[in-house]
DNA sequence: CATTATATGGAGGCACCCCTCCGTTTAGCA
DNA sequence: TGCTAAACGGAGGGGTGCCTCCATATAATG
């Protein structure tokens, strides 16, 4: 989060100190609100939570979509960075570790995606960035024979992200289903 | 659709001819609207589409939730009935055929689930009914060695329903991911 | 400290949705 | 065909969220 974002530089931050502070406050409140109330969360409520007037919110994010995008954007960026951190783990474990990180992120993501224009440039960029981040991990697992050769990183991510949108009876079942899906990625034993 | 519903008799249909007609019209319009606009679709709009006054909608469905439930209910009921139709197919094909039917249904379902109280009795009943409908199909596939023995029907349905909430690049990819998931259900070859 | 460009907040107009109330219409029945 | 209970429609009051406008406050600069 300290360096320039990986995904794009689409969000130009304002200059004055208070403006910058408010920008961050709104973003944080929005992340919270969208996760809690879905993509239709009241903008006035978000401003209130951020301790900011509604006009300030609008000045930074002229449309609801731009706010959703900004939040989504931050999340994706953090996730892409995380992909580099698993270099020391064995190939399959590294892949799993990142996917697990992906699981966490996707919980928030889901609420956002519902309200996001999937055809926007931003979304396309984010998806591309995420695929690029995950590719080396998958390639490594394929090279070591831990993952079947005929899957793409996009397949894997679609597979996983789908599973997360379901509300399971309990965590145990969620793990079981997740395991089931991951078994689909492992090569068939001959 | 001609017999009494399998899931429960929760939805009492009105008696007079015009009332019955309007009831069905609202239900159909609602199914449409929820699929298109999600669970927040305007009730006044639904009434308009059904060619019915707003009051008539409210008379039949006092709350938004009751309308959502009624739609959901119809879908589940139809799906449960469908489970019986695949008796002549080989075990694995029968399971797949029903799951494919499930795929179609789940597209509508998703919009509904977002707006549905997952803890309601209705929802519990529906889930139970669906599991019961699918169980024999899975059991048959397990008996013939086409599906691994350590999965439950609920695992399978959760797995599949998750996959559908994702918007894929194209149908081909959707099929590939679906195939991936189904591979997770087949027994590991020794 | 004074100046000024920048940023702020919240009132208010607009639009939409929810839901109830009640005068009118109609199906069912004899 | 005439009666009556059942059903109907839509106007309208209440509420909420969206977004703009502008008088006020404040960070930055010399």
């Amino acid at each position: 989060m300290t360096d320039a974002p990986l995904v794009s530089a689409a969000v130009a931050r304002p200059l004055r100190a208070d403006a910058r502070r408010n920008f961050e406050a709104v973003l944080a409140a929005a992340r919270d609100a969208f996760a809690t109330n879905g993509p239709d969360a009241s903008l006035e409520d978000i401003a209130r939570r951020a301790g900011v007037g509604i006009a300030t919110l609008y000045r930074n994010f002229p449309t609801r979509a731009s706010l959703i995008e900004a939040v989504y954007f931050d999340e994706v960026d953090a996730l892409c960075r995380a992909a580099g951190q698993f270099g020391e783990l064995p190939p399959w474990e590294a892949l799993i570790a990142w996917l697990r990180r992906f699981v966490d992120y996707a919980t928030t993501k889901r609420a956002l995606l519902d309200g996001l224009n999937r055809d926007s440039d931003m979304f396309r960029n984010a998806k591309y960035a995420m695929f690029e981040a995950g590719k080396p991990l998958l390639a490594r697992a394929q090279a070591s024979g831990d993952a079947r050769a005929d899957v793409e990183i996009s397949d894997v991510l679609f597979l996983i992200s789908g599973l997360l949108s379901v509300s399971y009876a309990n965590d145990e079942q969620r793990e079981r289903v997740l395991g089931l899906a991951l078994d689909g990625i492992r090569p068939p034993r001959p």
Side-chain angles (χ1 to χ4, degrees), chain A residues 109-182:
Chain A
K109 176 192 130 179
R110 211 180 80 72
L112 294 181
L113 282 188
D114 283 346
L116 199 58
N117 176 13
R118 289 181 163 81
D119 295 330
S120 74
D121 279 354
M122 204 294 304
F123 186 63
R124 229 190 316 279
N125 287 346
K127 217 157 59 174
Y128 178 77
M130 201 120 79
F131 291 162
E132 289 307 309
K135 245 178 211 167
L137 289 165
L138 177 62
R140 209 150 71 86
Q142 285 172 325
S144 68
D146 288 314
R148 46 198 277 185
D150 64 344
V151 298
E152 299 173 7
I153 183 66
S154 61
D155 297 338
V156 177
L157 291 183
F158 279 142
L159 180 65
I160 302 291
S161 75
L163 298 185
L164 301 171
S165 60
V166 181
S167 63
Y168 298 95
N170 49 54
D171 284 355
E172 185 196 338
Q173 179 168 48
R174 193 173 96 147
E175 286 302 312
R176 202 162 61 224
V177 173
L178 204 61
L180 224 52
L182 291 178

Side-chain angles (χ1 to χ4, degrees), chain A residues 45-58:
Chain A
D45 185 52
I46 290 175
R48 213 172 303 127
R49 290 205 217 187
V52 145
I54 183 67
T56 298
L57 184 151
Y58 274 97

Side-chain angles (χ1 to χ4, degrees), chain A residues 15-85:
Chain A
L15 297 175
R16 231 173 73 171
D18 53 349
R20 196 186 205 90
R21 208 165 38 236
N22 286 335
F23 180 91
E24 299 295 344
V26 170
L27 207 54
R31 175 162 32 243
D32 214 50
F34 288 138
T36 312
N37 303 338
D40 296 332
S42 155
L43 297 184
E44 281 176 338
D45 185 52
I46 290 175
R48 213 172 303 127
R49 290 205 217 187
V52 145
I54 183 67
T56 298
L57 184 151
Y58 274 97
R59 205 167 307 108
N60 285 303
F61 307 97
T63 67
R64 166 178 233 101
S66 70
L67 180 53
I68 295 184
E69 282 191 10
V71 172
Y72 179 68
F73 188 87
D74 259 19
E75 303 276 324
V76 169
D77 196 59
L79 189 60
C80 288
R81 282 165 200 287
Q85 300 175 352

